[in-house]
Amino acid sequence: MKIIFPDSTTETIEGEPVSVGWILHLRGINPSEVIVSRNGKLVPEDVVAGGDDEIRIIRIAHGG
Amino acid sequence: MGSCNPVTGGAGRCTICGAPPVIRMREPDRHLCAAHLIEDVEGRALRTISERELVKPHDRIAVAFSGGKDSTALLVILSRLLPSWDGVSLVAITVDEGIAGYRDDTIRAAEGVTKKLGIEHVCVSFADLIGENLDTLLAGRETQACSVCGILRRKALSVAAHQAGATKIATGHNLDDEAQSVLMNTLRGDLPRLVRTSDADSLDCFIPRIKPLADIAEKEIAAYLFVQDLFPFLPECPYTRYALRREVRSMLSSLEQKHPGTMRNLIRSKRAIEKQVDRREISESLRRCRQCGDPCSGELCQVCMLRKSLGK
């Protein structure tokens, strides 16, 4: 599974499928401050991702 | 964040129709698909407008339109509601503060959205208003960025709205913004500002300001736009790092995640205080600025005080 972070850096992780919420939790990202897409489609944090999924984390607070 | 489990969930379906969900709402706890999220967000905005009587027949609404997500959602929602209102018109107003590497992108995004929606668009700049852009004004005083920018932005918006013949100014403030403001005003001990309300009841000399998205969370707004391919991927304002709001936002969103309902409770507290307080007793009476004649509470309005402090 490939994870794309708000700053456009990426990380590839192997292993068992995990929930999107867990992915955020392990990286200290507050779910209230982001939306997450799986393979281009918006998903809630309790959706599970794994395999060849591409997870994109989008920060929503910008100010201005 | 603390209650996460590696593989919990995944079986959620839209609570209304059973389609794949795009968001989990916490108050009340439910999942919504894209279609029902759109319906829910637009329905709540309409309810806010109706309950608070924010729009009247033949209003000309100036939408404060930065091109960011909140004002984009506001403009989209108002443009969809427009046919149901008698004689109401919209004009989008974008303020160009003159922030290098930031505002040009958002102005381009704003122009694209207004063109797509077929809405009149006006752009006004700090350079027009005060003869300088924000970057120049702030040289050496960057920590004051948000207060300086806020004063000038309100003024620029007000001037442009008057010129456009607006009867209301609509801003994209969402539930998170409102809760942050309550906490910030409390932290500053600013009771007059805490109980100040702008829901279409402003004094006669100001154009009333309305906030149709005040009941919708920032995340819901972002999701609403994303599922319609309208989410603006834009850079962050370079001055936000100096803002108290940034710290308050982070603190409140953590609390909201651990204790859903925190933001609504804060706003509820503010409304309870509003009912108990006589605003005339704690606010200074309205006067005219001796420099420019604009309504203000002191001898000089905030813009003229700012001009003075900047030597302009």
Side-chain angles (χ1 to χ4, degrees):
Chain A
M1 171 171 47
K2 181 181 175 187
I3 303 170
I4 305 170
F5 293 96
D7 64 359
S8 297
T9 58
T10 61
E11 182 183 333
T12 302
I13 55 172
E14 308 287 340
E16 294 298 307
V18 291
S19 73
V20 167
W22 186 248
I23 292 169
L24 299 178
H25 174 70
L26 287 184
R27 287 153 185 84
I29 298 171
N30 186 335
S32 302
E33 296 178 356
V34 296
I35 53 175
V36 179
S37 69
R38 183 182 63 181
N39 306 323
K41 304 259 191 214
L42 195 67
V43 290
E45 288 80 37
D46 52 359
V47 153
V48 170
D52 295 330
D53 282 340
E54 181 180 277
I55 296 296
R56 184 173 186 194
I57 302 167
I58 302 151
R59 193 162 293 285
I60 59 174
H62 275 119
Chain B
M1 280 190 285
S3 60
C4 274
N5 178 292
V7 289
T8 292
R13 289 270 162 185
C14 175
T15 309
I16 297 170
C17 70
V22 296
I23 192 167
R24 179 184 173 191
M25 319 275 256
R26 307 279 298 273
E27 279 191 295
D29 196 0
R30 65 213 153 112
H31 289 80
L32 292 181
C33 66
H36 283 112
L37 169 68
I38 294 168
E39 189 179 293
D40 183 273
V41 167
E42 292 180 355
R44 275 189 288 149
L46 179 58
R47 195 163 62 233
T48 298
I49 291 168
S50 303
E51 286 177 358
R52 300 183 197 171
E53 299 178 339
L54 301 185
V55 176
K56 300 260 168 68
H58 306 289
D59 261 343
R60 178 156 169 79
I61 304 173
V63 180
F65 184 50
S66 69
K69 69 176 188 317
D70 300 311
S71 59
T72 297
L74 176 64
L75 199 61
V76 169
I77 291 170
L78 291 181
S79 70
R80 287 177 185 170
L81 293 173
L82 203 56
S84 65
W85 291 325
D86 182 19
V88 174
S89 62
L90 298 178
V91 53
I93 297 175
T94 301
V95 178
D96 178 3
E97 304 91 345
I99 304 174
Y102 170 64
R103 195 42 93 194
D104 287 350
D105 288 346
T106 66
I107 288 173
R108 266 193 296 277
E111 286 168 348
V113 173
T114 50
K115 198 172 172 187
K116 192 173 172 182
L117 296 174
I119 289 170
E120 183 184 346
H121 186 207
V122 174
C123 201
V124 57
S125 71
F126 280 9
D128 297 335
L129 185 72
I130 200 167
E132 302 269 13
N133 63 40
L134 189 67
D135 288 340
T136 311
L137 285 172
L138 290 176
R141 57 174 88 205
E142 288 80 2
T143 53
Q144 300 169 29
C146 293
S147 49
V148 171
C149 185
I151 290 167
L152 293 176
R153 240 187 343 177
R154 274 192 295 279
K155 176 70 175 178
L157 188 59
S158 174
V159 167
H162 269 293
Q163 285 172 353
T167 55
K168 301 271 168 64
I169 294 175
T171 63
H173 291 93
N174 57 45
L175 179 75
D176 300 48
D177 295 326
E178 294 296 280
Q180 288 156 17
S181 294
V182 173
L183 189 53
M184 286 167 66
N185 289 327
T186 305
L187 291 172
R188 288 174 175 143
D190 192 341
L191 184 61
R193 201 178 284 262
L194 177 68
V195 299
R196 185 188 298 170
T197 173
S198 57
D199 270 1
D201 71 343
S202 302
L203 295 157
D204 290 343
C205 45
F206 295 109
I207 299 176
R209 292 181 177 235
I210 60 172
K211 300 173 184 174
L213 307 185
D215 188 45
I216 303 168
E218 184 167 38
K219 179 161 177 149
E220 294 164 357
I221 288 170
Y224 167 83
L225 291 175
F226 189 91
V227 297
Q228 299 177 83
D229 286 329
L230 291 169
F231 185 84
F233 289 92
L234 294 168
E236 184 173 28
C237 174
Y239 294 113
T240 56
R241 65 176 176 273
Y242 302 108
L244 170 64
R245 185 175 288 273
R246 191 179 201 183
E247 293 174 56
V248 168
R249 171 188 284 156
S250 172
M251 180 171 43
L252 260 185
S253 63
S254 295
L255 284 169
E256 179 68 34
Q257 190 61 27
K258 288 177 192 158
H259 310 286
T262 295
M263 292 196 196
R264 279 186 200 285
N265 290 342
L266 259 180
I267 292 166
R268 211 171 287 139
S269 304
K270 172 203 152 98
R271 293 201 179 126
I273 295 168
E274 269 174 12
K275 284 181 189 162
Q276 300 296 320
V277 170
D278 182 348
R279 270 182 279 155
R280 287 166 303 184
E281 276 190 14
I282 56 166
S283 303
E284 291 182 60
S285 58
L286 201 66
R287 300 156 68 171
R288 292 276 169 188
C289 172
R290 66 175 161 79
Q291 199 79 40
C292 70
D294 273 5
C296 62
S297 56
E299 288 222 341
L300 290 176
C301 70
Q302 284 189 307
V303 174
C304 287
M305 279 197 286
L306 182 64
R307 279 181 196 270
K308 199 176 167 189
S309 73
L310 295 170
K312 298 288 169 191

